[in-house]
PDB file of all heavy atoms in Angstrom:
ATOM      1  N   LEU A   1       6.185 -24.807  -6.009  1.00 86.00           N
ATOM      2  CA  LEU A   1       5.063 -25.173  -6.854  1.00 86.00           C
ATOM      3  C   LEU A   1       3.806 -25.478  -6.042  1.00 86.00           C
ATOM      4  O   LEU A   1       2.690 -25.193  -6.432  1.00 86.00           O
ATOM      5  CB  LEU A   1       5.450 -26.379  -7.752  1.00 86.00           C
ATOM      6  CG  LEU A   1       6.427 -26.113  -8.846  1.00 86.00           C
ATOM      7  CD1 LEU A   1       6.921 -27.363  -9.553  1.00 86.00           C
ATOM      8  CD2 LEU A   1       5.850 -25.108  -9.869  1.00 86.00           C
ATOM      9  N   GLU A   2       3.993 -26.161  -4.890  1.00 85.00           N
ATOM     10  CA  GLU A   2       2.851 -26.453  -4.078  1.00 85.00           C
ATOM     11  C   GLU A   2       2.227 -25.167  -3.488  1.00 85.00           C
ATOM     12  O   GLU A   2       1.059 -25.132  -3.145  1.00 85.00           O
ATOM     13  CB  GLU A   2       3.285 -27.363  -2.918  1.00 85.00           C
ATOM     14  CG  GLU A   2       3.565 -28.776  -3.362  1.00 85.00           C
ATOM     15  CD  GLU A   2       4.243 -29.622  -2.299  1.00 85.00           C
ATOM     16  OE1 GLU A   2       4.616 -29.100  -1.247  1.00 85.00           O
ATOM     17  OE2 GLU A   2       4.417 -30.844  -2.558  1.00 85.00           O
ATOM     18  N   GLY A   3       3.034 -24.096  -3.394  1.00 81.00           N
ATOM     19  CA  GLY A   3       2.524 -22.849  -2.831  1.00 81.00           C
ATOM     20  C   GLY A   3       1.879 -21.945  -3.884  1.00 81.00           C
ATOM     21  O   GLY A   3       1.445 -20.881  -3.560  1.00 81.00           O
ATOM     22  N   LEU A   4       1.836 -22.416  -5.136  1.00 82.00           N
ATOM     23  CA  LEU A   4       1.223 -21.603  -6.191  1.00 82.00           C
ATOM     24  C   LEU A   4      -0.267 -21.356  -5.845  1.00 82.00           C
ATOM     25  O   LEU A   4      -0.988 -22.286  -5.488  1.00 82.00           O
ATOM     26  CB  LEU A   4       1.303 -22.237  -7.521  1.00 82.00           C
ATOM     27  CG  LEU A   4       2.617 -22.233  -8.246  1.00 82.00           C
ATOM     28  CD1 LEU A   4       2.522 -22.987  -9.566  1.00 82.00           C
ATOM     29  CD2 LEU A   4       3.129 -20.844  -8.504  1.00 82.00           C
ATOM     30  N   ASP A   5      -0.688 -20.113  -5.967  1.00 80.00           N
ATOM     31  CA  ASP A   5      -2.009 -19.774  -5.691  1.00 80.00           C
ATOM     32  C   ASP A   5      -2.382 -18.509  -6.456  1.00 80.00           C
ATOM     33  O   ASP A   5      -1.525 -17.827  -7.014  1.00 80.00           O
ATOM     34  CB  ASP A   5      -2.224 -19.541  -4.156  1.00 80.00           C
ATOM     35  CG  ASP A   5      -3.719 -19.677  -3.747  1.00 80.00           C
ATOM     36  OD1 ASP A   5      -4.556 -19.875  -4.622  1.00 80.00           O
ATOM     37  OD2 ASP A   5      -3.957 -19.537  -2.545  1.00 80.00           O
ATOM     38  N   TYR A   6      -3.629 -18.202  -6.444  1.00 75.00           N
ATOM     39  CA  TYR A   6      -4.106 -17.009  -7.090  1.00 75.00           C
ATOM     40  C   TYR A   6      -3.666 -15.783  -6.229  1.00 75.00           C
ATOM     41  O   TYR A   6      -3.931 -15.776  -5.031  1.00 75.00           O
ATOM     42  CB  TYR A   6      -5.622 -17.041  -7.286  1.00 75.00           C
ATOM     43  CG  TYR A   6      -6.143 -16.062  -8.267  1.00 75.00           C
ATOM     44  CD1 TYR A   6      -6.129 -16.399  -9.619  1.00 75.00           C
ATOM     45  CD2 TYR A   6      -6.594 -14.839  -7.851  1.00 75.00           C
ATOM     46  CE1 TYR A   6      -6.611 -15.449 -10.534  1.00 75.00           C
ATOM     47  CE2 TYR A   6      -7.099 -13.902  -8.785  1.00 75.00           C
ATOM     48  CZ  TYR A   6      -7.108 -14.249 -10.121  1.00 75.00           C
ATOM     49  OH  TYR A   6      -7.584 -13.355 -11.023  1.00 75.00           O
ATOM     50  N   LEU A   7      -2.964 -14.885  -6.819  1.00 73.00           N
ATOM     51  CA  LEU A   7      -2.504 -13.702  -6.059  1.00 73.00           C
ATOM     52  C   LEU A   7      -3.651 -12.749  -5.729  1.00 73.00           C
ATOM     53  O   LEU A   7      -4.557 -12.535  -6.551  1.00 73.00           O
ATOM     54  CB  LEU A   7      -1.446 -12.951  -6.876  1.00 73.00           C
ATOM     55  CG  LEU A   7      -0.115 -13.645  -7.018  1.00 73.00           C
ATOM     56  CD1 LEU A   7       0.794 -12.759  -7.851  1.00 73.00           C
ATOM     57  CD2 LEU A   7       0.491 -13.988  -5.663  1.00 73.00           C
ATOM     58  N   THR A   8      -3.625 -12.199  -4.574  1.00 71.00           N
ATOM     59  CA  THR A   8      -4.587 -11.207  -4.168  1.00 71.00           C
ATOM     60  C   THR A   8      -3.864  -9.866  -4.035  1.00 71.00           C
ATOM     61  O   THR A   8      -2.652  -9.858  -3.869  1.00 71.00           O
ATOM     62  CB  THR A   8      -5.282 -11.541  -2.874  1.00 71.00           C
ATOM     63  OG1 THR A   8      -4.275 -11.720  -1.867  1.00 71.00           O
ATOM     64  CG2 THR A   8      -6.093 -12.839  -2.992  1.00 71.00           C
ATOM     65  N   ALA A   9      -4.592  -8.793  -4.131  1.00 71.00           N
ATOM     66  CA  ALA A   9      -3.947  -7.475  -4.031  1.00 71.00           C
ATOM     67  C   ALA A   9      -3.417  -7.323  -2.603  1.00 71.00           C
ATOM     68  O   ALA A   9      -4.002  -7.840  -1.640  1.00 71.00           O
ATOM     69  CB  ALA A   9      -5.037  -6.419  -4.311  1.00 71.00           C
ATOM     70  N   PRO A  10      -2.336  -6.593  -2.509  1.00 69.00           N
ATOM     71  CA  PRO A  10      -1.778  -6.404  -1.152  1.00 69.00           C
ATOM     72  C   PRO A  10      -2.651  -5.515  -0.369  1.00 69.00           C
ATOM     73  O   PRO A  10      -3.500  -4.775  -0.880  1.00 69.00           O
ATOM     74  CB  PRO A  10      -0.408  -5.711  -1.436  1.00 69.00           C
ATOM     75  CG  PRO A  10      -0.542  -5.140  -2.822  1.00 69.00           C
ATOM     76  CD  PRO A  10      -1.518  -5.998  -3.543  1.00 69.00           C
ATOM     77  N   ASN A  11      -2.488  -5.576   0.970  1.00 74.00           N
ATOM     78  CA  ASN A  11      -3.218  -4.728   1.854  1.00 74.00           C
ATOM     79  C   ASN A  11      -2.884  -3.230   1.592  1.00 74.00           C
ATOM     80  O   ASN A  11      -1.755  -2.924   1.178  1.00 74.00           O
ATOM     81  CB  ASN A  11      -2.875  -5.050   3.310  1.00 74.00           C
ATOM     82  CG  ASN A  11      -3.372  -6.388   3.715  1.00 74.00           C
ATOM     83  OD1 ASN A  11      -4.362  -6.911   3.196  1.00 74.00           O
ATOM     84  ND2 ASN A  11      -2.675  -7.039   4.650  1.00 74.00           N
ATOM     85  N   PRO A  12      -3.829  -2.357   1.759  1.00 77.00           N
ATOM     86  CA  PRO A  12      -3.549  -0.957   1.505  1.00 77.00           C
ATOM     87  C   PRO A  12      -2.490  -0.452   2.489  1.00 77.00           C
ATOM     88  O   PRO A  12      -2.430  -0.920   3.617  1.00 77.00           O
ATOM     89  CB  PRO A  12      -4.867  -0.274   1.688  1.00 77.00           C
ATOM     90  CG  PRO A  12      -5.676  -1.177   2.536  1.00 77.00           C
ATOM     91  CD  PRO A  12      -5.191  -2.555   2.220  1.00 77.00           C
ATOM     92  N   PRO A  13      -1.734   0.599   2.104  1.00 77.00           N
ATOM     93  CA  PRO A  13      -0.772   1.137   3.036  1.00 77.00           C
ATOM     94  C   PRO A  13      -1.415   1.948   4.124  1.00 77.00           C
ATOM     95  O   PRO A  13      -2.541   2.414   4.017  1.00 77.00           O
ATOM     96  CB  PRO A  13       0.087   2.002   2.084  1.00 77.00           C
ATOM     97  CG  PRO A  13      -0.858   2.452   1.062  1.00 77.00           C
ATOM     98  CD  PRO A  13      -1.788   1.250   0.835  1.00 77.00           C
ATOM     99  N   LEU A  14      -0.646   2.174   5.209  1.00 79.00           N
ATOM    100  CA  LEU A  14      -1.072   3.009   6.298  1.00 79.00           C
ATOM    101  C   LEU A  14      -0.446   4.389   6.029  1.00 79.00           C
ATOM    102  O   LEU A  14       0.784   4.508   6.039  1.00 79.00           O
ATOM    103  CB  LEU A  14      -0.635   2.492   7.618  1.00 79.00           C
ATOM    104  CG  LEU A  14      -1.202   1.082   7.960  1.00 79.00           C
ATOM    105  CD1 LEU A  14      -0.581   0.532   9.244  1.00 79.00           C
ATOM    106  CD2 LEU A  14      -2.721   1.139   8.107  1.00 79.00           C
ATOM    107  N   VAL A  15      -1.298   5.373   5.808  1.00 80.00           N
ATOM    108  CA  VAL A  15      -0.784   6.723   5.523  1.00 80.00           C
ATOM    109  C   VAL A  15      -0.332   7.370   6.821  1.00 80.00           C
ATOM    110  O   VAL A  15      -1.028   7.339   7.809  1.00 80.00           O
ATOM    111  CB  VAL A  15      -1.907   7.591   4.821  1.00 80.00           C
ATOM    112  CG1 VAL A  15      -1.380   9.008   4.610  1.00 80.00           C
ATOM    113  CG2 VAL A  15      -2.273   6.979   3.496  1.00 80.00           C
ATOM    114  N   ARG A  16       0.853   7.960   6.829  1.00 80.00           N
ATOM    115  CA  ARG A  16       1.402   8.612   7.975  1.00 80.00           C
ATOM    116  C   ARG A  16       1.098  10.099   7.849  1.00 80.00           C
ATOM    117  O   ARG A  16       1.917  10.833   7.223  1.00 80.00           O
ATOM    118  CB  ARG A  16       2.902   8.309   8.079  1.00 80.00           C
ATOM    119  CG  ARG A  16       3.145   6.835   8.302  1.00 80.00           C
ATOM    120  CD  ARG A  16       4.549   6.489   8.700  1.00 80.00           C
ATOM    121  NE  ARG A  16       4.929   7.180   9.920  1.00 80.00           N
ATOM    122  CZ  ARG A  16       6.172   7.349  10.320  1.00 80.00           C
ATOM    123  NH1 ARG A  16       7.138   6.835   9.616  1.00 80.00           N
ATOM    124  NH2 ARG A  16       6.433   7.991  11.412  1.00 80.00           N
ATOM    125  N   GLU A  17      -0.039  10.487   8.263  1.00 84.00           N
ATOM    126  CA  GLU A  17      -0.523  11.869   8.105  1.00 84.00           C
ATOM    127  C   GLU A  17       0.466  12.967   8.636  1.00 84.00           C
ATOM    128  O   GLU A  17       0.582  14.006   8.052  1.00 84.00           O
ATOM    129  CB  GLU A  17      -1.895  12.046   8.728  1.00 84.00           C
ATOM    130  CG  GLU A  17      -2.958  11.211   7.996  1.00 84.00           C
ATOM    131  CD  GLU A  17      -4.337  11.389   8.643  1.00 84.00           C
ATOM    132  OE1 GLU A  17      -4.544  12.383   9.352  1.00 84.00           O
ATOM    133  OE2 GLU A  17      -5.165  10.557   8.391  1.00 84.00           O
ATOM    134  N   GLU A  18       1.149  12.616   9.689  1.00 86.00           N
ATOM    135  CA  GLU A  18       2.055  13.613  10.279  1.00 86.00           C
ATOM    136  C   GLU A  18       3.239  13.917   9.352  1.00 86.00           C
ATOM    137  O   GLU A  18       3.847  14.997   9.501  1.00 86.00           O
ATOM    138  CB  GLU A  18       2.551  13.118  11.654  1.00 86.00           C
ATOM    139  CG  GLU A  18       3.549  11.971  11.620  1.00 86.00           C
ATOM    140  CD  GLU A  18       2.917  10.565  11.530  1.00 86.00           C
ATOM    141  OE1 GLU A  18       1.674  10.475  11.354  1.00 86.00           O
ATOM    142  OE2 GLU A  18       3.632   9.583  11.630  1.00 86.00           O
ATOM    143  N   LEU A  19       3.502  13.095   8.375  1.00 81.00           N
ATOM    144  CA  LEU A  19       4.596  13.335   7.440  1.00 81.00           C
ATOM    145  C   LEU A  19       4.094  13.870   6.087  1.00 81.00           C
ATOM    146  O   LEU A  19       4.929  14.218   5.234  1.00 81.00           O
ATOM    147  CB  LEU A  19       5.401  12.031   7.255  1.00 81.00           C
ATOM    148  CG  LEU A  19       6.123  11.473   8.490  1.00 81.00           C
ATOM    149  CD1 LEU A  19       6.776  10.148   8.132  1.00 81.00           C
ATOM    150  CD2 LEU A  19       7.127  12.444   9.037  1.00 81.00           C
ATOM    151  N   CYS A  20       2.805  13.885   5.887  1.00 82.00           N
ATOM    152  CA  CYS A  20       2.214  14.350   4.607  1.00 82.00           C
ATOM    153  C   CYS A  20       2.267  15.849   4.549  1.00 82.00           C
ATOM    154  O   CYS A  20       2.071  16.565   5.559  1.00 82.00           O
ATOM    155  CB  CYS A  20       0.866  13.852   4.406  1.00 82.00           C
ATOM    156  SG  CYS A  20       0.714  12.032   4.407  1.00 82.00           S
ATOM    157  N   THR A  21       2.492  16.374   3.323  1.00 81.00           N
ATOM    158  CA  THR A  21       2.518  17.797   3.097  1.00 81.00           C
ATOM    159  C   THR A  21       1.760  18.175   1.830  1.00 81.00           C
ATOM    160  O   THR A  21       1.618  17.301   0.936  1.00 81.00           O
ATOM    161  CB  THR A  21       3.973  18.351   2.993  1.00 81.00           C
ATOM    162  OG1 THR A  21       4.611  17.753   1.889  1.00 81.00           O
ATOM    163  CG2 THR A  21       4.753  18.142   4.270  1.00 81.00           C
ATOM    164  N   ALA A  22       1.319  19.431   1.798  1.00 79.00           N
ATOM    165  CA  ALA A  22       0.631  19.886   0.583  1.00 79.00           C
ATOM    166  C   ALA A  22       0.997  21.363   0.364  1.00 79.00           C
ATOM    167  O   ALA A  22       1.121  22.102   1.323  1.00 79.00           O
ATOM    168  CB  ALA A  22      -0.877  19.755   0.711  1.00 79.00           C
ATOM    169  N   SER A  23       1.228  21.685  -0.882  1.00 76.00           N
ATOM    170  CA  SER A  23       1.487  23.090  -1.249  1.00 76.00           C
ATOM    171  C   SER A  23       0.635  23.428  -2.430  1.00 76.00           C
ATOM    172  O   SER A  23      -0.243  22.651  -2.826  1.00 76.00           O
ATOM    173  CB  SER A  23       2.958  23.305  -1.473  1.00 76.00           C
ATOM    174  OG  SER A  23       3.379  22.568  -2.652  1.00 76.00           O
ATOM    175  N   HIS A  24       0.947  24.566  -3.082  1.00 71.00           N
ATOM    176  CA  HIS A  24       0.129  25.016  -4.192  1.00 71.00           C
ATOM    177  C   HIS A  24       0.005  23.978  -5.308  1.00 71.00           C
ATOM    178  O   HIS A  24      -1.069  23.703  -5.776  1.00 71.00           O
ATOM    179  CB  HIS A  24       0.736  26.322  -4.756  1.00 71.00           C
ATOM    180  CG  HIS A  24       0.029  26.823  -5.955  1.00 71.00           C
ATOM    181  ND1 HIS A  24      -1.298  27.234  -5.977  1.00 71.00           N
ATOM    182  CD2 HIS A  24       0.457  26.901  -7.225  1.00 71.00           C
ATOM    183  CE1 HIS A  24      -1.619  27.554  -7.204  1.00 71.00           C
ATOM    184  NE2 HIS A  24      -0.573  27.416  -7.996  1.00 71.00           N
ATOM    185  N   ASP A  25       1.164  23.357  -5.679  1.00 68.00           N
ATOM    186  CA  ASP A  25       1.128  22.422  -6.784  1.00 68.00           C
ATOM    187  C   ASP A  25       1.731  21.037  -6.499  1.00 68.00           C
ATOM    188  O   ASP A  25       1.979  20.223  -7.354  1.00 68.00           O
ATOM    189  CB  ASP A  25       1.863  23.003  -8.023  1.00 68.00           C
ATOM    190  CG  ASP A  25       3.239  23.324  -7.749  1.00 68.00           C
ATOM    191  OD1 ASP A  25       3.723  23.252  -6.605  1.00 68.00           O
ATOM    192  OD2 ASP A  25       4.005  23.651  -8.717  1.00 68.00           O
TER     193      ASP A  25
END
């Protein structure tokens, strides 16, 4: 209860570009 606080959005993720893929769809 003492730790209750207004939540903030989490930090954005780190995109691992070497694992990302793209194809036609």
Side-chain angles (χ1 to χ4, degrees):
L1 289 172
E2 287 168 354
L4 284 179
D5 199 357
Y6 198 83
L7 292 179
T8 57
N11 294 329
L14 299 173
V15 176
R16 298 192 56 197
E17 293 180 19
E18 71 276 8
L19 298 175
C20 298
T21 60
S23 65
H24 174 66
D25 60 352

